Amino acid sequence: MGLSLRLRRRGGSKKELIPVMGFSEEDETTIPSQFQCPISYDLMKDPVIIASGITYDRENIEKWFESGNKTCPVTNTVLTTSEQIPNHAIRRMIQGWCVSNKGSSLERIPTPRVPVTSHQVVEICGKLLSATQRGDHVGCVEMVKKMKRLVKESERNRKCLKENGAGLVLCVCFDAFSETAYATRLLEDVLFLLTWMFPIGSEGQGTLTSTTSFSRLVGFVRSGDQNAAFLVKELLSLDEANVQALLEVDGVEEAFVRLIRETVCESSLTSIHHMITRKPEIVSKFIELDLVNLVVEMLVDSENSVCEKALMVLEAICETSEGREEVRGNELVMPILVKRILKISEFAKKKLVSVMWKICKTGQGAEVEEALRLGAFKKLVVMLQVGCGEGTKEKVTELLKMMNKQMKTKGFVEHSDSSIEFKHLKKPF
């Protein structure tokens, strides 16, 4: 059973009380003032001394410094350093006090792990770099495991690793072992660490986007590694030249479509969007791989972030005549677009309207008739009334004009889409 560390004052007293979960008010335990953090008045779990000589709980004083403050909260003294030194004496006293009050269900505060220092990170990075240059697989595994342990311990450690060049060294390590068959586990751990290191800088990008590194990254994507998919997505977002480098890797299209087929992967959707935008003729390959059906099915019941990425891909596909023809041929497209049009984010609405506009404007009229039958007219009117971006507004207006013309020509009566059954759906998302 956990403890609530909210404290209260009674009768103007400076003493603070800590209610113990599961006990009545009479069982409340008084925390000695010297054990309380001067910022939160909570029991300190990791007491540290700062340059002014005052002791604080590490988490609270770090937040104080990260907010841009350069003074001591208690004395208001301007500090020349934000360095924090563990106050082992106070910590042991707090632990002893907790043990002596265990009858009140207070648990002994565990000895906190000391955060890694910049000097230690530089030393670890140096050893990893040396081991990489020697081709010492065992030495690299040892240093990478040490980094992995530090990353898992705290946000402070992750920040310290990132700020002291760990990202670049990890990129060098990945590139050096990218063609080594027995280094798969090492490379998987490096990929995990790199997800915390972005942005990695131009030198790191250059190393990670070499022919061998990119090929190995795609190999990991093919095997279902979402860390690899995330890294590729980040690299493509940083530099358009990286998109061209990715497109030169054999089997890249199959790798990302396979990952989407196996799981809903936003990183893969974003990467595919980059690839199609850079090289529209690649749409033919993605159509062969059944990408349109996969993306359309994602739209049925996906959350906003997935819906946005899926619509981005669908819009990019519709930039080509072959893509538009494939999208028109999917019997789920229009029912899903109409059903979701008012239930998604503004960004997703923009992409959805664009897709609907592209397939209606370049079609033979059947798409407009279907949209009308499904109730699109009223929903598009609502979009105009609520408000949307200028580009989207123009497309909505043009769609309404097309539908209005169709209604006058063929006397259509709009129907609600609430009873639509997605009978062609292969799998739910």
Side-chain angles (χ1 to χ4, degrees):
M1 183 175 290
L3 300 178
S4 170
L5 295 181
R6 287 177 311 190
L7 308 175
R8 300 183 306 188
R9 297 182 183 274
R10 284 189 173 179
S13 170
K14 292 184 179 180
K15 291 185 177 180
E16 303 292 337
L17 300 179
I18 176 170
V20 181
M21 187 179 292
F23 283 77
S24 64
E25 207 168 285
E26 288 74 14
D27 294 315
E28 291 178 341
T29 303
T30 303
I31 298 179
S33 59
Q34 66 270 30
F35 296 164
Q36 297 170 20
C37 175
I39 295 175
S40 67
Y41 294 105
D42 286 340
L43 183 67
M44 290 188 285
K45 298 178 181 179
D46 186 7
V48 292
I49 306 171
I50 64 171
S52 64
I54 305 296
T55 297
Y56 298 90
D57 196 40
R58 187 188 297 275
E59 182 180 359
N60 294 324
I61 195 61
E62 282 184 350
K63 288 180 179 177
W64 172 264
F65 289 140
E66 287 171 3
S67 297
N69 297 299
K70 300 184 183 301
T71 59
C72 170
V74 171
T75 66
N76 207 32
T77 304
V78 177
L79 304 172
T80 56
T81 176
S82 59
E83 183 181 1
Q84 301 141 40
I85 302 172
N87 191 330
H88 297 298
I90 286 291
R91 191 249 307 155
R92 284 192 287 267
M93 291 171 65
I94 291 173
Q95 289 175 328
W97 177 78
C98 288
V99 171
S100 65
N101 283 275
K102 62 182 178 180
S104 301
S105 286
L106 275 168
E107 295 181 2
R108 181 179 182 272
I109 293 176
T111 301
R113 293 181 182 275
V114 179
V116 69
T117 64
S118 298
H119 174 75
Q120 290 171 321
V121 171
V122 170
E123 184 179 2
I124 293 170
C125 287
K127 289 181 179 179
L128 176 58
L129 185 59
S130 296
T132 298
Q133 292 169 339
R134 296 194 308 270
D136 180 2
H137 176 260
V138 174
C140 288
V141 169
E142 181 184 353
M143 291 301 105
V144 167
K145 282 185 175 179
K146 185 173 290 188
M147 283 189 181
K148 192 174 179 182
R149 185 174 65 252
L150 290 171
V151 160
K152 289 182 175 181
E153 281 180 7
S154 69
E155 174 63 32
R156 177 186 172 87
N157 285 354
R158 292 192 285 271
K159 184 178 179 182
C160 192
L161 282 162
K162 182 178 177 179
E163 291 177 347
N164 287 280
L168 175 57
V169 177
L170 288 166
C171 289
V172 171
C173 180
F174 187 91
D175 187 55
F177 288 92
S178 58
E179 293 186 287
T180 307
Y182 59 80
T184 299
R185 186 55 188 270
L186 167 64
L187 296 179
E188 286 176 345
D189 287 343
V190 170
L191 289 178
F192 166 77
L193 289 169
L194 280 172
T195 61
W196 298 99
M197 301 296 143
F198 272 80
I200 54 174
S202 57
E203 191 175 353
Q205 285 183 58
T207 304
L208 208 54
T209 55
S210 68
T211 303
T212 54
S213 287
F214 241 161
S215 296
R216 195 64 189 266
L217 273 172
V218 171
F220 277 113
V221 172
R222 188 179 294 110
S223 65
D225 192 310
Q226 298 231 17
N227 287 329
F230 171 81
L231 289 174
V232 172
K233 183 258 294 183
E234 289 296 309
L235 289 169
L236 300 188
S237 301
L238 290 170
D239 191 339
E240 193 174 328
N242 294 339
V243 183
Q244 185 59 45
L246 179 66
L247 288 166
E248 294 171 3
V249 177
D250 289 336
V252 64
E253 303 93 346
E254 291 90 342
F256 283 97
V257 172
R258 180 176 180 177
L259 187 54
I260 289 175
R261 199 184 304 277
E262 293 174 352
T263 182
V264 178
C265 180
E266 294 183 48
S267 295
S268 289
L269 287 170
T270 303
S271 295
I272 289 172
H273 175 261
H274 280 300
M275 286 189 275
I276 295 175
T277 303
R278 174 78 178 188
K279 188 178 180 181
E281 56 267 32
I282 206 173
V283 165
S284 299
K285 182 65 175 178
F286 281 121
I287 287 175
E288 290 177 14
L289 295 168
D290 202 31
L291 178 64
V292 171
N293 283 329
L294 291 172
V295 172
V296 169
E297 289 176 4
M298 281 185 179
L299 294 173
V300 175
D301 197 24
S302 58
E303 59 185 27
N304 263 324
S305 58
V306 175
C307 189
E308 289 173 355
K309 309 300 188 303
L311 285 167
M312 283 170 57
V313 170
L314 207 58
E315 182 190 35
I317 290 172
C318 287
E319 284 293 328
T320 68
S321 57
E322 184 182 4
R324 289 191 295 272
E325 191 63 32
E326 183 70 18
V327 172
R328 283 196 202 95
N330 188 297
E331 298 183 40
L332 280 174
V333 170
M334 194 58 74
I336 292 174
L337 293 181
V338 175
K339 187 177 180 69
R340 298 220 64 181
I341 194 167
L342 296 179
K343 302 176 182 179
I344 50 181
S345 68
E346 290 304 312
F347 179 80
K349 286 178 185 176
K350 176 183 176 181
K351 297 300 175 183
L352 185 151
V353 167
S354 180
V355 171
M356 187 181 289
W357 177 78
K358 289 177 191 296
I359 60 178
C360 285
K361 185 175 176 63
T362 58
Q364 300 300 315
E367 298 77 22
V368 177
E369 290 182 18
E370 185 180 14
L372 268 172
R373 180 176 58 80
L374 296 169
F377 190 89
K378 290 179 181 177
K379 292 187 175 183
L380 290 171
V381 169
V382 170
M383 275 193 70
L384 281 183
Q385 292 173 336
V386 173
C388 49
E390 196 59 38
T392 303
K393 183 178 179 180
E394 290 176 3
K395 289 184 174 68
V396 170
T397 302
E398 192 168 350
L399 281 167
L400 288 172
K401 287 179 179 178
M402 285 188 273
M403 292 178 189
N404 191 47
K405 181 179 179 181
Q406 198 78 2
M407 282 191 287
K408 288 179 179 179
T409 303
K410 299 195 176 183
F412 263 90
V413 177
E414 235 190 354
H415 297 285
S416 169
D417 66 342
S418 59
S419 62
I420 293 173
E421 294 181 5
F422 299 113
K423 61 183 178 181
H424 302 284
L425 183 64
K426 295 177 184 178
K427 61 179 180 179
F429 282 87

